[in-house]
């Protein structure tokens, strides 16, 4: 007030200089910065990559393999979204491997397995479980069903020590992107679709870094 920028009139503060007010209105602020970066489709497509790169840099204890996949994948945007989607398969495989190693890993045979007590509980709760799981660890999309059961259902409590239902939801969503990336059937891959997959990958990697012990 003593600088002449504003003045007190009764109980109200008023501006003095119209020129100063116009100048301040023209200065960059948070809203105008967002408009410059994401105000149109072209800006959005070019700047979302930097936003996701920044989000990735915030993740501590990130698994080295996932980090490599994500760093290489981010480099494919925005010019080559199809290249990134083709790598979602590897990222999902690594994420599931990290989960199995933390939850149900046979160290002697160096492979995942399903504890017999899990089967007993699920059978008592009348969960639908493929019979072959008792002799062979599930493959493909069936592993997402296992992750769903491990992290709790309406019938059964969560059995996983570390992984949560958030883990399942993100991994299950990535399964669809994984299938699309492996078998696109010559479809033109939309940039926004690929960005959605990248965002899911980053958040799944961040979640695993928080949930799993020694995931890096």
């Amino acid at each position: 007030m003593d600088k002449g920028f504003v003045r007190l009139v009764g109980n109200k503060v008023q501006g003095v200089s119209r020129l100063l007010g116009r100048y301040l209105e023209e200065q960059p602020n948070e809203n105008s910065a967002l408009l410059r970066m994401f105000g149109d489709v072209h800006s959005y497509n070019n700047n979302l990559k930097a936003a996701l790169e920044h989000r990735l840099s915030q993740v501590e204890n990130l698994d080295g393999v996932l980090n490599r996949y994500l760093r290489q994948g981010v480099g494919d945007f925005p010019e080559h979204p199809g290249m990134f989607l083709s790598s979602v398969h590897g990222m999902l495989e690594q994420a599931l491997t990290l989960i199995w190693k933390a939850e149900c890993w046979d160290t002697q045979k160096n492979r995942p397995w399903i504890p017999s007590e899990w089967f007993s509980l699920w059978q008592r709760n009348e969960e639908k479980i493929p019979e072959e799981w008792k002799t062979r660890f599930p493959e493909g999309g069936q592993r997402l069903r296992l992750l769903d059961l491990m992290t709790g259902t309406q019938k059964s409590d969560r059995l996983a020590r570390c992984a949560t239902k958030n883990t399942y939801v993100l991994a299950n969503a990535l399964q669809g992107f994984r299938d699309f990336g492996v078998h696109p059937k010559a479809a033109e891959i939309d940039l926004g679709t690929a960005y959605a997959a990248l965002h899911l990958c980053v958040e799944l990697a961040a979640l695993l870094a928080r949930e799993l012990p020694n995931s890096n």
Side-chain angles (χ1 to χ4, degrees):
M1 294 174 62
D2 58 337
K3 299 294 184 180
F5 294 156
V6 295
R7 65 184 175 188
L8 185 64
V9 179
N11 294 325
K12 296 182 179 179
V13 176
Q14 295 181 349
V16 175
S17 171
R18 291 183 181 180
L19 181 62
L20 176 62
R22 188 179 304 113
Y23 169 77
L24 292 174
E25 288 176 355
E26 294 173 352
Q27 296 311 296
N29 55 50
E30 185 175 345
N31 289 333
S32 63
L34 286 173
L35 283 174
R36 286 198 307 275
M37 294 181 67
F38 303 108
D40 56 65
V41 174
H42 178 75
S43 299
Y44 175 89
N45 287 338
N46 283 298
N47 291 316
L48 187 58
K49 170 182 175 177
L52 292 175
E53 282 180 323
H54 184 66
R55 173 68 182 113
L56 183 58
S57 69
Q58 298 171 351
V59 181
E60 298 180 356
N61 300 318
L62 179 61
D63 172 70
V65 176
L66 288 179
N67 184 44
R68 184 176 177 83
Y69 270 121
L70 287 168
R71 294 293 177 187
Q72 291 178 338
V74 166
D76 293 326
F77 286 92
E79 292 83 4
H80 308 289
M83 293 293 293
F84 169 76
L85 273 185
S86 67
S87 66
V88 170
H89 170 77
M91 279 183 270
L92 184 57
E93 290 298 312
Q94 176 65 8
L96 290 174
T97 297
L98 292 173
I99 294 169
W100 308 145
K101 287 186 174 181
E103 304 287 357
C104 53
W105 195 260
D106 186 333
T107 55
Q108 292 183 340
K109 296 181 179 180
N110 195 32
R111 67 183 184 187
W113 66 293
I114 303 176
S116 57
E117 56 267 28
W118 290 10
F119 279 115
S120 299
L121 178 64
W122 292 335
Q123 287 175 337
R124 286 200 306 270
N125 295 338
E126 299 181 345
E127 298 281 10
K128 294 181 179 180
I129 312 168
E131 191 66 25
E132 61 266 23
W133 283 13
K134 294 182 178 180
T135 56
R136 189 175 67 176
F137 196 79
E139 299 178 353
Q142 284 194 340
R143 295 172 300 173
L144 277 302
R145 172 56 180 162
L146 172 59
L147 185 57
D148 184 22
L149 288 167
M150 289 167 49
T151 52
T153 68
Q154 291 183 340
K155 295 181 179 180
S156 304
D157 292 336
R158 171 185 163 198
L159 296 174
R161 295 185 301 272
C162 305
T164 66
K165 188 58 70 177
N166 294 285
T167 317
Y168 163 71
V169 170
L170 290 175
N172 190 54
L174 272 182
Q175 177 70 17
F177 287 107
R178 175 261 175 201
D179 292 342
F180 184 40
V182 174
H183 307 291
K185 295 184 179 179
E188 182 178 350
I189 296 176
D190 178 72
L191 180 58
T193 301
Y195 266 136
L198 174 59
H199 197 178
L200 279 173
C201 287
V202 171
E203 292 307 320
L204 178 59
L207 187 62
L208 294 178
R210 295 195 303 271
E211 290 184 344
L212 305 184
N214 303 317
S215 61
N216 60 325

